[in-house]
Amino acid sequence: WDGNHSIKANDGNTESFDYTKSETYDSENGAWTADGIEIKADWIKFERNAVILYKAPAGGDADFHITFKGEDGKNTWSAVRIIITDENNNFKGREEIWDGKNASQYDKTFSKTLAAGDKVYFIFFSEGTNDSGVATDNNYGHITLTVSLKTTQQPGASFEGANFADDFHDNTVTESNWEYGSANYGWDGSHSIKANDGNTESFDYTKSETYDSENGAWTADGIEIKADWIKFERNAVILFKAPAGGDVEFHITFKGEDGKNTWSAVRIIITDENNNFKGREEIWDGKNNSQYDKTFSKTLAAGDKVYFIFFSEGTNDSGVATDNKFGHITLTVAKA
């Protein structure tokens, strides 16, 4: 009943908990077990706090329905605290069930809007006595728990065939797996998003809030991003957010305007949903060429982010200045 544990359980941080996943399965009785705890497909025992954890496979509106019926119809003071967090256990909300305080059963339905990777902890409590002070030794009973998830549909959100040009959207679209912006990139670990294993590169990302409807472009200072064209006088960013987990193949092409030779480069940084570094790719083929074509594959989890950061490096290997900081682009994502 304080904030000293690893997972915050309310807004005021006056409740918190540590969660331990059961590693013991009793195959004879079909139960996951821990000290004083048994969890079966339709039955639960909780001499101490038992947990059933649900992890959202995708974002959307979820309806939850839980029922509990004490063994032999006995009256029991049981309660359930339902804690909702993001993928990294940051608190997002809670529900409570107190209907079992002076009754042998309860039936509760509630709805939540979840993001991919969100966690819902159902924590079962046996409170000791009911309102009359009668001890409750009936810390077990029959349970049902269902989740109906209405997945939020997003433009081009499928690994079956996401295409940057086809999915390109204006400022009237509020949900998409593509985002456009800029990066302040540094050669140390002082920025908010780590960009390599050694933490010797990092960056801050800023989402573009300005859409030029006349030219069909997202813009920032020195940056324009269109469905098939990009200008990057400073670091432009195209961000892809994975709608689901899986093996994914990326294909990117770039062709400099008017076929000019240009020293351009792309650093591709992969993070989880909360910007923790997971990996990277690089494209240096544009260093002394006017174009490049790269395919690479990654295994992503739902909510992972892939930052395509475009650099104009100033000069090529011959020392020739490169003022050609724009060109035509294609970028596709497919299930590998």
Side-chain angles (χ1 to χ4, degrees), residues 175-188:
E175 293 287 343
S176 175
N177 293 304
W178 299 97
E179 211 171 88
Y180 324 98
S182 61
N184 180 19
Y185 204 97
W187 311 106
D188 54 35

Side-chain angles (χ1 to χ4, degrees), residues 36-37 44-48 50 68 78 124-126 139-140:
I37 292 172
I44 188 169
K45 174 184 177 183
F46 47 100
E47 292 179 5
R48 60 190 187 93
F68 176 83
S78 65
F124 293 80
F125 290 74
S126 179
N139 307 322
Y140 43 86

Side-chain angles (χ1 to χ4, degrees), residues 21-229:
K21 179 182 176 182
S22 173
E23 302 291 345
T24 305
Y25 183 71
D26 178 352
S27 56
E28 185 175 344
N29 293 302
W32 288 95
T33 66
D35 183 29
I37 292 172
E38 290 181 45
I39 302 174
K40 300 181 180 181
D42 62 353
W43 190 87
I44 188 169
K45 174 184 177 183
F46 47 100
E47 292 179 5
R48 60 190 187 93
N49 300 139
V51 176
I52 294 173
L53 171 58
Y54 173 78
K55 291 182 278 189
D61 297 322
D63 293 328
F64 292 86
H65 182 205
I66 180 172
T67 71
F68 176 83
K69 187 175 182 180
E71 196 79 12
D72 302 324
K74 290 181 183 177
N75 191 32
T76 177
W77 185 345
S78 65
V80 188
R81 288 171 176 84
I82 304 162
I83 311 301
I84 299 98
T85 76
D86 67 12
E87 187 177 19
N88 290 286
N89 285 323
N90 297 301
F91 178 77
K92 294 185 69 172
R94 68 182 277 161
E95 294 282 332
E96 297 177 353
I97 304 175
W98 291 99
D99 301 346
K101 184 174 178 180
N102 292 285
S104 64
Q105 59 188 23
Y106 46 78
D107 185 316
K108 182 177 177 70
T109 300
F110 65 95
S111 299
K112 290 291 177 183
T113 299
L114 302 178
D118 278 359
K119 300 177 183 178
V120 184
Y121 294 88
F122 292 83
I123 309 176
F124 293 80
F125 290 74
S126 179
E127 297 289 349
T129 61
N130 63 17
D131 278 350
S132 302
V134 177
T136 58
D137 59 357
N138 185 31
N139 307 322
Y140 43 86
H142 298 277
I143 185 172
T144 69
L145 176 54
T146 61
V147 185
S148 174
L149 180 62
K150 298 178 284 294
T151 304
T152 304
Q153 296 301 314
Q154 299 177 335
S158 171
F159 281 166
E160 299 294 341
N163 185 298
F164 177 73
D166 293 344
D167 302 340
F168 189 84
H169 61 81
D170 61 17
N171 57 349
T172 64
V173 175
T174 58
E175 293 287 343
S176 175
N177 293 304
W178 299 97
E179 211 171 88
Y180 324 98
S182 61
N184 180 19
Y185 204 97
W187 311 106
D188 54 35
S190 63
H191 297 280
S192 60
I193 305 174
K194 180 179 172 181
N196 64 359
D197 279 320
N199 200 22
T200 56
E201 299 179 27
S202 60
F203 65 99
D204 296 318
Y205 167 70
T206 302
K207 178 182 177 181
S208 174
E209 301 292 344
T210 306
Y211 183 72
D212 179 352
S213 57
E214 185 175 346
N215 294 300
W218 288 92
T219 65
D221 182 29
I223 291 172
E224 290 181 46
I225 301 174
K226 301 182 181 182
D228 62 352
W229 190 87

